Amino acid sequence: MTNTFQPIDAAQVPRFAGPATFMRLPAVTSAEGLDIALVGIPWDGGTTNRAGARHGPREIRSQSSLMRRVHHVSGTEPFSLARVADVGDVSVNPINLLDGLKRIEEGIAAIVGAGAMPLIAGGDHLTTLPSLRAVARKRPVGMIHFDAHSDTNDKYFGDNPYTHGTPFRRAIEEGLLDGKRVVQIGIRGSIYDPGEHDWARAQGIRIIYMEECVRRGVEDVMAEAKAIAGSGPTYVTFDIDCIDPSMAPGTGTPELGGFTTREAQAMLRLLDGVNIVGADVVEVAPPFDLGNLTSLAGATMMFELLCVMARLVSERRGNAS
């Protein structure tokens, strides 16, 4: 297909010049006519400790200038397979949590309503809840979730149900996720209570701890993850803290013993065949970063997801013709 939305060529315009957009793509004001909309959610109103993920989208945009046109392993040219552009940031409210959630949902719903798949740069992990509210309005979806934390806790600081540690409990309660089609990969670290993950398991969620990932290897784990997601609509959420903090230090809740960036790339490449309806990379917190390592990791994971999603677009277009 002929696509007018192409990234600026770094051989013609240096990466440090011009406006910062995701992958150096054109900035547009609407997702109309797009297959995949790259969008930022600069909001961390659910953060309970180290805030800073609100700055994630801007720095991920900057580091995404290092992405080129072709994936070196698969040969995928995502910008030729799909119409992709940067639609900017959704409207946020940094001082009112509930209004912030509403604004995010409306922003992502506009993308979905235009017929595009959102590929999102967060933001803390609570931003995934309103994104799911937009993507799963018509039916519950499955989810492949890369993270150090299950994020299925109930309430924090008394009766507050909305933090970056609670989005997937709320999502199941609201009927947005089918718990039996949810898999969480890379979970690790100390927990608040011995039964902290009991509720998640009772909903059918498959939790694959980091130690199991190491023992089995990423290919085997991803084969199971894809089997759990099945052929139904599936959301992919990638918390950057699934990567070891030696490689991604700029995040709100770092946990030792995580994936390498190479392992993370390999897992995302194995998402081919999943019926993805939206995806995000969250919890990049630039104030805690070193040498832009984490922002670069975030941009790279977005590119890996983009390639998988672009191939899916191409496949769907071929099946429809």
Side-chain angles (χ1 to χ4, degrees):
M1 63 171 287
T2 301
N3 184 7
T4 57
F5 296 113
Q6 292 289 329
I8 295 172
D9 188 345
Q12 303 299 322
V13 180
R15 291 186 173 91
F16 51 80
T21 63
F22 289 120
M23 318 292 174
R24 305 195 84 192
L25 286 162
V28 300
T29 58
S30 166
E32 293 291 339
L34 297 182
D35 298 308
I36 303 169
L38 304 182
V39 59
I41 305 181
W43 191 82
D44 55 11
T47 303
T48 58
N49 183 23
R50 304 202 309 175
R54 67 183 62 186
H55 301 290
R58 180 169 293 187
E59 293 306 317
I60 290 173
R61 279 187 173 94
S62 180
Q63 292 305 308
S64 74
S65 68
L66 290 164
M67 303 303 110
R68 300 178 183 87
R69 294 173 186 266
V70 183
H71 194 286
H72 75 288
V73 175
S74 66
T76 302
E77 300 179 53
F79 312 111
S80 297
L81 293 178
R83 293 181 294 272
V84 190
D86 185 336
V87 299
D89 293 336
V90 300
S91 174
V92 296
N93 185 335
I95 59 173
N96 185 312
L97 187 149
L98 293 179
D99 184 58
L101 294 176
K102 179 182 177 182
R103 288 169 182 248
I104 294 166
E105 179 183 353
E106 291 172 349
I108 302 304
I111 292 171
V112 175
M117 284 190 289
L119 176 51
I120 301 162
D124 71 36
H125 223 154
L126 183 57
T127 60
T128 303
L129 176 60
S131 298
L132 285 169
R133 288 172 176 169
V135 169
R137 283 183 174 181
K138 296 181 179 179
R139 72 289 186 243
V141 300
M143 185 174 71
I144 298 178
H145 173 197
F146 302 91
D147 205 326
H149 313 99
S150 176
D151 293 345
T152 51
N153 290 329
D154 190 6
K155 296 177 181 178
Y156 284 62
F157 307 107
D159 291 329
N160 180 17
Y162 297 114
T163 77
H164 63 168
T166 66
F168 305 122
R169 193 177 188 118
R170 302 288 87 85
I172 287 180
E173 291 172 345
E174 294 178 21
L176 306 174
L177 288 175
D178 176 357
K180 294 180 177 60
R181 294 185 53 237
V182 173
V183 57
Q184 301 182 322
I185 301 168
I187 308 303
R188 65 186 189 277
S190 56
I191 52 180
Y192 291 111
D193 181 88
E196 182 171 317
H197 296 152
D198 290 352
W199 185 92
R201 291 194 187 95
Q203 313 312 307
I205 294 176
R206 170 70 164 111
I207 300 176
I208 305 179
Y209 292 108
M210 189 68 214
E211 291 74 15
E212 182 178 349
C213 294
V214 172
R215 185 175 70 253
R216 293 173 57 188
V218 297
E219 291 189 5
D220 193 36
V221 166
M222 288 307 297
E224 181 186 357
K226 291 168 70 172
I228 290 169
S231 60
T234 301
Y235 193 89
V236 178
T237 183
F238 188 98
D239 187 326
I240 205 71
D241 71 25
C242 78
I243 297 174
D244 192 82
S246 64
M247 296 186 177
T251 191
T253 314
E255 297 284 356
L256 292 179
F259 293 111
T260 66
T261 49
R262 184 173 58 248
E263 288 170 329
Q265 288 175 279
M267 290 188 295
L268 295 182
R269 292 169 193 169
L270 291 169
L271 287 170
D272 271 325
V274 176
N275 183 11
I276 298 173
V277 292
D280 63 37
V281 175
V282 298
E283 294 286 359
V284 172
F288 300 101
D289 209 358
L290 296 172
N292 299 317
L293 277 175
T294 315
S295 299
L296 176 58
T300 302
M301 301 310 153
M302 283 189 74
F303 183 73
E304 295 286 358
L305 285 166
L306 176 62
C307 289
V308 172
M309 294 166 75
R311 290 194 294 272
L312 179 60
V313 167
S314 180
E315 179 183 328
R316 287 172 177 169
R317 185 177 290 118
N319 290 338
S321 60

